[in-house]
Amino acid sequence: MQRYFLTDQYEAKSEYEVTGESYHHMVRVIRMSKGDHVYLAFANQITIVAEITAVLTDKVLLKEIEKEHQEKELPVHITIASGYPKGDKLEWIIQKGTELGAHDFIGFPAQSSVVKWDDKKRVKKQQRCEKIAQEAAEQSHRQVTPQVTLLATAQEFYQRLAEYDEIVVAYEEAAKAGEKSQLAKVLSQTVPGAKILAIFGPEGGLTPKEIDLLTAQKGVLCGLGPRILRCETAPLYFLSAVSYQLELQ
Amino acid sequence: MQRYFLTDQYEAKSEYEVTGESYHHMVRVIRMSKGDHVYLAFANQITIVAEITAVLTDKVLLKEIEKEHQEKELPVHITIASGYPKGDKLEWIIQKGTELGAHDFIGFPAQSSVVKWDDKKRVKKQQRCEKIAQEAAEQSHRQVTPQVTLLATAQEFYQRLAEYDEIVVAYEEAAKAGEKSQLAKVLSQTVPGAKILAIFGPEGGLTPKEIDLLTAQKGVLCGLGPRILRCETAPLYFLSAVSYQLELQ
């Protein structure tokens, strides 16, 4: 069943309206009509099953059938922070990371990042990434669309570290050194609603200087198994492990 | 340090030879010379650190410095079986799945598979996939290069099911129905060396008929969390969960 994200908060009403792009998609693209059912996901994370009661020239009217029952969101808020990788890797970290339940994404210029974007390029990239997050959220039946924030400087990123309850740093050298217990330790101690920041380097990895900065701000160095994962694969391992630990065990 | 896969079995020798493509790569591509160190990964899953003692016109001679200590392979043998997906999704299931430790890959025409390949196309696709597995295995420091087998018929696939100790079937409907415990149950009961087949549908998912066939042959239906994962994402979730459960806990 098709899912639409609305910008307004849910409140119990006899009638709901869908306009704009979602209206266009409903009526023109997939040609829905009276009696068809859709999901309406509201900004306050409530999702309802709604039935179309009327299709007008500029809006669709719907009535609530029932609340969506199943909890689709991870019990913790995971922020995936990636040092800018090459090419379109960031796009697909965001697409796959959204499917796997990330709450939001931050990109930042790490010391090993090769790409250099001016503000114009960065804004364009961010819009592209936001669209990808939106589409992936709809496709994977998320109740929230992850935010994407692409930062201009590493400093802006370090200033945000204090906002999080836990900071996990995926560190290749930790994996090489056989570090095996930190991730399970962190995940087994999380409380529902905790804000967890998971930091991943670009192709070249995080530098010793960056590691020092992050560990100085309570960043925990974690290995993600004995195999060396690419910068776009490591966040997916992490999110899968979070889901497995907190949703399936 | 560069890693080369050799087709012969390891045995303790005073001197090892590298010829053919690996010779070309060592000498012509990355221009290694006497005294340089490389990993040599043998067919029997032993990997050594070796030092180049001589570069000849057709081969490189090396001596063993030490065995590679760290175990890079999952303690169980995971076979990822994918109903043929569209486009190049199979290629990247294999690339990422190799990074994440899959032992081998099987592709088969599922009922919902849209792609139809003649033998010529299938063989070409398989060669391409084998190359991708090889490159990913080197890059992620695997000790084994996963095999890739692309089958012509679903029947050939079903005939292989008896070879496995455990069969896990990723079933979207199970996830929708809130199935949460089967995967953890299966993984917590595995014994080292167990052969586990994990089956994933194409874009359209597995059909009820396929599910019946698989469950009739001790396939266990597993949900992979409450979010709907694309056919190329689900195998990565599964492999990450296996690694987290068996390598990090």
Side-chain angles (χ1 to χ4, degrees):
Chain A
M1 187 155 55
Q2 189 64 35
R3 171 173 297 257
Y4 296 96
F5 285 87
L6 305 183
T7 51
D8 46 338
Q9 309 280 311
Y10 171 83
E11 48 187 289
K13 287 196 254 173
S14 59
E15 187 171 81
Y16 298 88
E17 287 187 12
V18 169
T19 58
E21 267 194 27
S22 297
Y23 168 83
H24 175 80
H25 186 271
M26 263 189 204
V27 178
R28 307 258 175 274
V29 180
I30 61 175
R31 299 168 183 276
M32 292 190 137
S33 55
K34 190 163 184 294
D36 289 338
H37 286 191
V38 300
Y39 286 115
L40 297 182
F42 292 86
N44 49 345
Q45 299 191 29
I46 293 170
T47 300
I48 65 170
V49 177
E51 179 179 317
I52 296 176
T53 55
V55 176
L56 309 179
T57 53
D58 59 343
K59 61 186 172 191
V60 169
L61 303 180
L62 308 97
K63 68 167 190 242
E64 174 172 345
I65 300 300
E66 60 176 350
K67 297 264 183 312
E68 183 182 38
H69 301 305
Q70 202 187 352
E71 179 51 67
K72 297 282 173 60
E73 296 303 316
L74 284 168
V76 291
H77 283 194
I78 303 290
T79 301
I80 297 294
S82 295
Y84 289 136
K86 295 180 195 160
D88 59 0
K89 286 180 180 175
L90 190 60
E91 282 83 340
W92 90 246
I93 288 170
I94 288 168
Q95 183 191 65
K96 299 298 164 218
T98 298
E99 286 176 61
L100 292 165
H103 182 268
D104 61 302
F105 298 89
I106 297 175
F108 67 98
Q111 290 186 321
S112 313
S113 292
V114 178
V115 290
K116 301 264 171 280
W117 300 319
D118 55 25
D119 290 0
K120 187 154 160 282
K121 256 198 168 152
R122 203 181 69 253
V123 170
K124 213 156 166 238
K125 184 90 165 177
Q126 169 149 337
Q127 288 164 345
R128 186 173 146 73
C129 289
E130 283 165 348
K131 195 162 187 308
I132 285 166
Q134 168 91 33
E135 287 165 357
E138 289 170 359
Q139 186 272 343
S140 57
H141 295 198
R142 292 283 305 271
Q143 286 154 324
V144 196
T145 301
Q147 272 190 2
V148 179
T149 312
L150 302 191
L151 299 171
T153 67
Q155 194 189 4
E156 292 170 69
F157 175 58
Y158 289 112
Q159 283 163 356
R160 293 165 167 253
L161 297 181
E163 299 169 12
Y164 297 90
D165 303 314
E166 300 276 357
I167 298 176
V168 170
V169 183
Y171 192 39
E172 200 174 79
E173 297 309 317
K176 285 185 187 159
E179 192 294 300
K180 290 179 174 178
S181 59
Q182 285 299 341
L183 181 60
K185 198 170 151 208
V186 170
L187 294 184
S188 59
Q189 290 167 356
T190 53
V191 295
K195 294 184 69 185
I196 301 174
L197 174 66
I199 304 171
F200 302 86
E203 288 81 0
L206 296 164
T207 64
K209 181 151 176 292
E210 287 171 320
I211 292 298
D212 291 345
L213 277 162
L214 294 169
T215 47
Q217 300 210 41
K218 69 182 170 54
V220 179
L221 302 184
C222 293
L224 300 177
R227 291 160 298 281
I228 304 305
L229 303 178
R230 291 179 200 220
C231 62
E232 71 272 24
T233 312
L236 311 191
Y237 181 110
F238 175 77
L239 286 163
S240 303
V242 170
S243 167
Y244 179 71
Q245 169 78 44
L246 302 181
E247 296 181 317
L248 298 190
Q249 287 197 315
Chain B
M1 186 155 56
Q2 189 63 37
R3 171 173 299 255
Y4 296 97
F5 285 87
L6 306 183
T7 51
D8 46 341
Q9 309 282 311
Y10 171 83
E11 48 187 291
K13 284 196 253 173
S14 60
E15 188 171 79
Y16 298 88
E17 287 186 11
V18 169
T19 59
E21 269 195 25
S22 297
Y23 168 83
H24 176 79
H25 186 270
M26 262 189 208
V27 178
R28 306 258 177 275
V29 180
I30 61 174
R31 299 168 184 274
M32 292 191 137
S33 56
K34 191 162 183 295
D36 290 337
H37 286 191
V38 299
Y39 287 114
L40 297 182
F42 292 86
N44 49 346
Q45 299 192 30
I46 293 169
T47 300
I48 64 170
V49 177
E51 178 179 318
I52 297 176
T53 54
V55 176
L56 308 180
T57 55
D58 59 343
K59 62 187 169 191
V60 170
L61 302 180
L62 309 97
K63 68 166 188 240
E64 174 172 344
I65 301 300
E66 59 176 350
K67 299 260 182 316
E68 184 183 38
H69 301 306
Q70 201 187 352
E71 179 51 65
K72 297 282 174 57
E73 296 303 316
L74 285 168
V76 292
H77 283 195
I78 303 290
T79 301
I80 297 294
S82 296
Y84 289 134
K86 295 179 195 160
D88 59 0
K89 286 179 180 174
L90 190 60
E91 282 83 340
W92 90 246
I93 288 170
I94 287 168
Q95 183 191 65
K96 299 299 165 219
T98 298
E99 285 176 60
L100 291 165
H103 182 267
D104 61 303
F105 298 89
I106 296 175
F108 68 97
Q111 289 185 323
S112 313
S113 291
V114 176
V115 290
K116 300 264 173 279
W117 300 319
D118 56 25
D119 291 0
K120 188 155 159 283
K121 256 199 167 154
R122 204 181 67 255
V123 170
K124 214 155 166 243
K125 184 91 163 175
Q126 170 150 337
Q127 289 164 345
R128 185 173 146 74
C129 289
E130 283 166 347
K131 195 163 186 309
I132 285 165
Q134 168 91 31
E135 286 165 358
E138 290 170 1
Q139 185 272 344
S140 57
H141 294 198
R142 293 283 304 272
Q143 286 154 323
V144 196
T145 301
Q147 273 190 2
V148 179
T149 311
L150 303 191
L151 300 171
T153 67
Q155 195 189 3
E156 292 170 69
F157 175 58
Y158 289 112
Q159 283 163 357
R160 294 166 167 251
L161 298 180
E163 299 168 13
Y164 296 90
D165 303 314
E166 301 275 358
I167 298 176
V168 170
V169 182
Y171 192 39
E172 199 174 78
E173 297 308 318
K176 285 183 185 161
E179 192 294 301
K180 290 180 175 180
S181 58
Q182 284 300 342
L183 181 60
K185 198 169 150 210
V186 169
L187 294 184
S188 58
Q189 289 168 357
T190 53
V191 294
K195 294 184 70 186
I196 302 174
L197 174 65
I199 304 172
F200 302 86
E203 288 82 359
L206 295 164
T207 64
K209 183 153 175 291
E210 287 172 320
I211 292 298
D212 291 346
L213 277 162
L214 293 169
T215 47
Q217 300 210 41
K218 68 183 172 54
V220 179
L221 303 184
C222 293
L224 301 177
R227 291 161 297 282
I228 304 305
L229 302 178
R230 291 178 201 221
C231 61
E232 72 273 22
T233 312
L236 312 191
Y237 180 110
F238 175 77
L239 286 162
S240 303
V242 171
S243 167
Y244 180 71
Q245 169 78 43
L246 302 181
E247 294 181 319
L248 299 190
Q249 288 198 317

